[in-house]
């Protein structure tokens, strides 16, 4: 993979993980992460957590006939 492609991917990774360029490049190249630090586990935002269905929820009731699509 070319250096310019690595830098492009590293910049995308930086936007997502908020890590510096050096760490992003090291991770993409398979090198140990500098400073002996491990990346923080990815935490989901509130919106992502709300979008995930809960395990014990029942499905919504069927729509009334007047709201169903016509054939």
């Amino acid at each position: 993979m070319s250096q310019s492609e690595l830098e492009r991917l590293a910049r995308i990774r930086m936007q997502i993980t908020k890590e510096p360029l050096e760490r992003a490049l090291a991770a993409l190249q398979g090198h140990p992460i500098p400073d002996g630090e491990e990346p923080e586990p990815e935490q989901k935002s509130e919106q992502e957590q709300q979008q995930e269905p809960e395990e014990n929820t029942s499905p919504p009731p069927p729509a009334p006939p007047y709201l169903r699509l016509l054939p």
Side-chain angles (χ1 to χ4, degrees):
M1 191 177 302
S2 69
Q3 185 65 25
S4 61
E5 182 70 8
L6 278 174
E7 287 183 15
R8 185 183 74 80
L9 293 172
R11 293 188 191 287
I12 293 170
R13 182 183 169 105
M14 287 170 52
Q15 292 174 352
I16 295 169
T17 63
K18 309 292 187 232
E19 62 189 2
L21 179 63
E22 294 79 23
R23 285 178 57 105
L25 280 172
L28 289 171
Q29 293 171 340
H31 299 294
I33 297 175
D35 301 324
E37 297 178 11
E38 292 297 319
E40 296 179 15
E42 186 176 318
Q43 295 183 1
K44 296 179 182 175
S45 67
E46 281 186 33
Q47 185 180 16
E48 289 174 338
Q49 289 176 354
Q50 290 174 355
Q51 290 176 351
E52 290 182 0
E54 294 182 16
E55 292 178 15
N56 297 328
T57 59
S58 60
Y66 56 87
L67 291 179
R68 293 186 188 148
L69 297 174
L70 298 175

